[in-house]
């Protein structure tokens, strides 16, 4: 299977799990779910509150929230997201990432944690150098996809997406959780809208840098598909992580850490609330 197709399947699976877990978590917390969207763009199918859209690059869960809608005066808002206890407002944005992180670590084992921690630095370093570091990381991702099975690829891809979603920027799960903590459990604070706009900018800059990196990589890909074993040096964001996976037969092999094409990490469950 072509690496690009494998990564697309990974993205779709990640999005389905991510969005579904957050929606189920909201229901379990007694929060009203207004709508659930899988994908972006034109709507292909609508089933009640669920909308399936054309491009599987993102998704969101829209919750009842007094900051986003006008409610009746006699509505106690007990089922509104911003009226929930602080722990619910923090846990809900992190629920999808938490389940996917646990699943991925279960597949990869202890070595997966190293990949997850390294992903934060890779995302930032790649965004700062989209024509060099990002190109090398994308090349590593393609190599990994060509040489490993789908389960392992999904686990590694998922770890990278989880790391991206946990960055402290507005619109990402990490930023949503931090804003909830900053509100201190209050339903509304006057400064939130202004802070959200400023915190949104770095996230957009990182995303734009990876868009540029992906476009350039796609254009130059034929010349970037072969790398020697000593191509990257340890101790940098571009270093090889030696992932020792013990198979049932008792042998060990080495795997290159995957950058997982961060541009497609727009599978952000944007709780608009």
């Amino acid at each position: 299977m072509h690496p690009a197709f494998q990564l697309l399947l990974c993205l779709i699976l990640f999005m389905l799990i991510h969005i579904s877990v957050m929606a189920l978590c909201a229901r379990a917390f007694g929060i009203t779910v207004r709508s659930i969207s899988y994908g972006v763009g034109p709507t292909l199918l609508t089933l009640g509150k669920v909308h399936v859209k054309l491009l599987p690059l993102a998704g969101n869960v829209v919750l009842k929230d007094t900051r986003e809608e006008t409610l009746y005066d006699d509505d106690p808002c007990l089922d509104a997201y911003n009226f929930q206890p602080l722990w619910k407002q923090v846990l809900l944005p992190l629920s999808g990432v938490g389940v996917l992180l646990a699943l991925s670590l279960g597949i990869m084992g202890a070595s997966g944690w190293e990949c997850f921690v390294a992903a934060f630095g890779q995302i930032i370093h790649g965004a700062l150098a989209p024509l060099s570091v990002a190109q090398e990381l994308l090349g590593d991702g393609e190599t990994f996809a060509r040489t490993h099975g789908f389960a392992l690829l999904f686990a590694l891809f998922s770890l990278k997406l989880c790391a991206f979603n946990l960055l402290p920027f507005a619109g990402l799960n990490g930023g949503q959780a931090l804003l909830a903590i900053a509100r201190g459990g209050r339903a509304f604070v006057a400064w939130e809208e202004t802070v959200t706009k400023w915190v949104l900018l770095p996230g957009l800059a990182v995303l734009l840098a990876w868009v540029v990196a992906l476009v350039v990589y796609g254009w130059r890909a034929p010349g970037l598909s072969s790398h020697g074993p000593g191509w990257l040096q340890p101790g940098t964001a571009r270093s090889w992580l030696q992932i020792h996976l013990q198979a049932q037969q008792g042998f060990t092999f080495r795997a290159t850490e995957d950058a997982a094409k961060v541009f497609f990490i727009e599978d952000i469950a944007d709780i608009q609330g």
Side-chain angles (χ1 to χ4, degrees), residues 5-224:
F5 186 61
Q6 293 186 65
L7 291 175
L8 179 61
L9 290 179
C10 288
L11 176 63
I12 294 174
L13 183 57
F14 182 94
M15 179 189 65
L16 289 174
I17 297 175
H18 194 179
I19 300 299
S20 298
V21 168
M22 296 186 70
L24 290 173
C25 185
R27 291 289 300 272
F29 286 169
I31 303 172
T32 296
V33 177
R34 295 300 193 196
S35 66
I36 304 169
S37 296
Y38 295 102
V40 295
T43 300
L44 301 179
L45 178 66
T46 298
L47 297 172
K49 297 180 179 181
V50 179
H51 307 282
V52 179
K53 301 189 176 183
L54 179 62
L55 302 175
L57 304 180
N60 64 17
V61 180
V62 179
L63 306 175
K64 180 178 179 179
D65 193 315
T66 62
R67 296 168 299 173
E68 301 294 336
E69 56 185 292
T70 301
L71 303 175
Y72 294 109
D73 293 336
D74 59 350
D75 189 337
C77 300
L78 298 180
D79 58 343
Y81 169 73
N82 60 320
F83 273 74
Q84 300 304 308
L86 176 60
W87 68 271
K88 288 186 180 181
Q89 293 189 41
V90 173
L91 183 59
L92 180 54
L94 302 179
S95 60
V97 170
V99 169
L100 283 159
L101 184 59
L103 175 62
S104 300
L105 292 177
I107 295 174
M108 293 195 65
S111 60
W113 183 254
E114 298 177 5
C115 298
F116 172 68
V117 172
F120 292 96
Q122 291 175 332
I123 293 169
I124 300 302
H125 280 85
L128 293 175
L131 302 182
S132 56
V133 176
Q135 299 303 305
E136 296 171 349
L137 291 172
L138 291 173
D140 287 345
E142 181 181 357
T143 300
F144 194 93
R146 291 183 182 278
T147 56
H148 296 83
F150 182 78
L152 188 59
L153 175 62
F154 171 75
L156 202 51
F157 184 84
S158 178
L159 290 173
K160 306 304 179 181
L161 296 183
C162 286
F164 184 85
N165 275 279
L166 290 176
L167 291 175
F169 303 137
L172 300 178
N173 298 141
Q176 292 166 348
L178 287 177
L179 284 173
I181 293 173
R183 287 197 307 270
R186 289 170 288 180
F188 173 81
V189 289
W191 49 261
E192 184 175 8
E193 184 176 355
T194 300
V195 171
T196 299
K197 291 179 180 178
W198 282 102
V199 178
L200 180 64
L201 295 178
L204 291 176
V206 170
L207 181 59
L208 179 60
W210 276 99
V211 170
V212 172
L214 185 63
V215 171
V216 172
Y217 183 80
W219 178 56
R220 297 165 53 188
L224 294 177

